[in-house]
Amino acid sequence: MAVETKFVVVRKGEEKMTFANKKEADAYDKMLDMAEAFTDWLLQQQPEMGESQAETLGLLMADQKDAVQHILRTSKLPDAAASTPKSGTVSDQAASEQADEPATKKVRAVKAA
């Protein structure tokens, strides 16, 4: 009999994703926190925007935070190679929601301006 440890990210009572290690689960949970903050901010700034659209944009901005930070710092788009979607992005998320082993995603700290 084998024993497996799995880390499950749960939001509002709903299982979002299952991970094999705590580091990836924590990174995903942090990305969801950021997406929620972006969603709330978008709804405050654009009340006529639908909640679904705000959630989608919030998830995209949180998932692509490196590109967003680059644009904010430089007022330019990131290089084409750097801006291509990585595995594990929001567009890939729906396909891998049910997977036990999601794609690995780099997490990088960036100095605040």
Side-chain angles (χ1 to χ4, degrees):
M1 176 200 276
V3 176
E4 290 184 27
T5 302
K6 294 189 179 194
F7 298 88
V8 181
V9 176
V10 178
R11 289 288 177 135
K12 299 177 184 171
E14 180 183 333
E15 285 188 19
K16 293 294 185 179
M17 189 84 84
T18 302
F19 295 88
N21 67 53
K22 185 174 181 354
K23 184 178 178 181
E24 289 179 359
D26 286 341
Y28 186 75
D29 188 50
K30 184 176 179 180
M31 191 270 302
L32 290 178
D33 285 339
M34 189 182 314
E36 189 173 327
F38 275 131
T39 299
D40 292 344
W41 177 74
L42 286 166
L43 289 171
Q44 286 175 356
Q45 299 302 311
Q46 298 291 322
E48 66 279 355
M49 179 182 288
E51 189 171 341
S52 176
Q53 185 179 19
E55 283 180 10
T56 300
L57 287 172
L59 278 170
L60 176 66
M61 291 171 67
D63 189 53
Q64 297 295 316
K65 69 178 178 141
D66 292 338
V68 171
Q69 289 171 338
H70 178 81
I71 293 167
L72 291 172
R73 281 193 313 270
T74 66
S75 297
K76 296 180 182 174
L77 289 175
D79 294 336
S83 66
T84 57
K86 301 176 277 185
S87 61
T89 59
V90 173
S91 59
D92 295 339
Q93 178 182 340
S96 64
E97 282 275 333
Q98 302 302 321
D100 287 340
E101 297 286 333
T104 304
K105 187 192 241 184
K106 279 189 175 180
V107 178
R108 179 175 83 104
V110 177
K111 228 196 266 187

